[in-house]
Amino acid sequence: MSKTKLKWIFNLVFQSFFITSTIGSTGDRSQFYSICLAKCRDINCKADKDFKVQPSLVLRLLLWTCEEDCSYGCTWETVDYFTSYGLKVPQFHGKWPFIRFLGCQEPASVIFSILNLYGHVTMYWKFKRKSRTSDPMFYIWTYLSMVCIHGWFWSFVFHARDTPFTEVMDYSSAFIMVLTLGYCMLLRVTYKNNKMFAVITCGYLSTLYTHLLHLWSGDINYDYNMKFNVVIGILTFILTMIWWYRNHKKLPYINLIGWFNILTVLVTILEVADFPPIFWVFDAHSLWHASTAPLTILMYRFMIADSSYLRTYYSKLTLDIDHHIR
């Protein structure tokens, strides 16, 4: 092996140890990547980050800048360089490298986000057909559906193009989904308790306002945001499972929400996994998105069955009261 190659390997290994205490990732901190990026900018980019030569239509439609395109190209040159010397696949800016498809940065996550979005849209229309606007909880479940549809839309946009704006929209939408699911389940468990409704709603709105204010002001602590989501998710799981345990014999259909909770917790373990993308397409996060899509069916089946039960129960209750009054 030549001295030049040994020097490059020594530099890469040295940087991989050093970078553990810095902001960034092994790939984008490497000298090879920096040199490649500078060279690409000089050859292909104007001073204002525009392309010297017009790029493909998909890149223009998704608003790729020349600098971002250079970063993508140099990412793969750096990956090839690392792996050719037996080094591990590096991350870049905290992310694994993905093959770009039709201008989309993370194609698998885009497809599975669209699948989740489609699931919520189609199941909501099914819920709407089988329920009535006069049903108890109808508008609460409708609100949850709208929040989920909004969230999965921004998930698909963010994974297609990671920009500061789409990043904030994705994180804020994910936060709202987790918080709103907890809010709606609290309202269901405490249904017909007007005092609890007022307290829960005030708490929900104040928490929502505070966190969205931080996100949109640019004061984003993603670790804190993720931990908060986990805490809310765990509390929602505990609350729902206690409610399930106390009522599943009387109301067999609530096994649907029980299984939804259990399976959601199980598939979320994928978020903890961290490995280079399979075929440079399927990472742990995209597989998590894939696994959540079928769980949508369980949630909406519960909503449909619960609406039917509440409609029948309160109609019967009203009839009984009228009978006794007469």
Side-chain angles (χ1 to χ4, degrees), residues 1-10 84-86:
M1 188 179 293
S2 67
K3 290 183 179 180
T4 304
K5 290 183 178 180
L6 285 172
K7 183 179 177 182
W8 272 105
I9 294 174
F10 174 78
S84 67
Y85 288 107

Side-chain angles (χ1 to χ4, degrees), residues 165 168-169 172 211-220:
F165 175 72
V168 170
M169 291 303 297
S172 59
H211 274 72
L212 291 183
L213 190 64
H214 282 296
L215 283 167
W216 281 99
S217 65
D219 181 20
I220 306 174

Side-chain angles (χ1 to χ4, degrees), residues 313-326:
Y313 177 79
Y314 283 104
S315 295
K316 183 178 182 298
L317 190 64
T318 303
L319 288 172
D320 289 343
I321 292 171
D322 289 342
H323 174 73
H324 287 296
I325 289 173
R326 290 170 187 170

Side-chain angles (χ1 to χ4, degrees), residues 12 61 115 161 180 186 208 227 233 252 278 309:
L12 291 171
L61 289 174
L115 191 61
R161 279 290 285 120
T180 302
L186 270 171
L208 184 64
K227 289 175 183 176
I278 302 168
Y309 164 75

Side-chain angles (χ1 to χ4, degrees), residues 237-249:
F237 174 80
I238 293 171
L239 168 76
T240 305
M241 294 312 291
I242 291 173
W243 181 66
W244 166 83
Y245 179 76
R246 295 177 63 181
N247 294 277
H248 73 283
K249 291 182 179 178

Side-chain angles (χ1 to χ4, degrees), residues 30-161:
S30 68
Q31 186 178 6
F32 184 91
Y33 176 83
S34 298
I35 292 172
C36 174
L37 198 58
K39 187 184 295 184
C40 180
R41 286 170 180 163
D42 184 58
I43 295 173
N44 299 308
C45 305
K46 298 178 182 178
D48 58 359
K49 299 182 182 179
D50 282 343
F51 291 88
K52 289 181 179 177
V53 178
Q54 194 175 57
S56 64
L57 178 61
V58 290
L59 295 188
R60 297 201 304 274
L61 289 174
L62 292 178
L63 305 179
W64 280 80
T65 66
C66 182
E67 186 173 6
E68 290 170 333
D69 191 53
C70 280
S71 177
Y72 173 77
C74 289
T75 289
W76 287 109
E77 289 192 32
T78 305
V79 168
D80 290 342
Y81 190 86
F82 270 60
T83 54
S84 67
Y85 288 107
L87 299 172
K88 293 182 179 179
V89 175
Q91 289 190 331
F92 296 81
H93 307 287
K95 294 185 177 183
W96 293 111
F98 293 89
I99 290 177
R100 188 171 63 189
F101 179 71
L102 295 178
C104 295
Q105 291 172 268
E106 299 176 29
S109 288
V110 169
I111 292 169
F112 295 139
S113 293
I114 292 173
L115 191 61
N116 277 275
L117 174 63
Y118 174 77
H120 277 279
V121 170
T122 54
M123 289 305 295
Y124 171 68
W125 284 112
K126 186 175 181 179
F127 164 75
K128 198 173 178 182
R129 285 197 311 271
K130 296 198 172 188
S131 305
R132 304 171 188 170
T133 56
S134 58
D135 288 348
M137 293 288 294
F138 175 84
Y139 289 105
I140 299 298
W141 296 134
T142 295
Y143 173 60
L144 175 62
S145 296
M146 295 303 105
V147 167
C148 291
I149 289 169
H150 174 267
W152 284 112
F153 169 78
W154 283 109
S155 175
F156 132 65
V157 172
F158 168 69
H159 288 300
R161 279 290 285 120

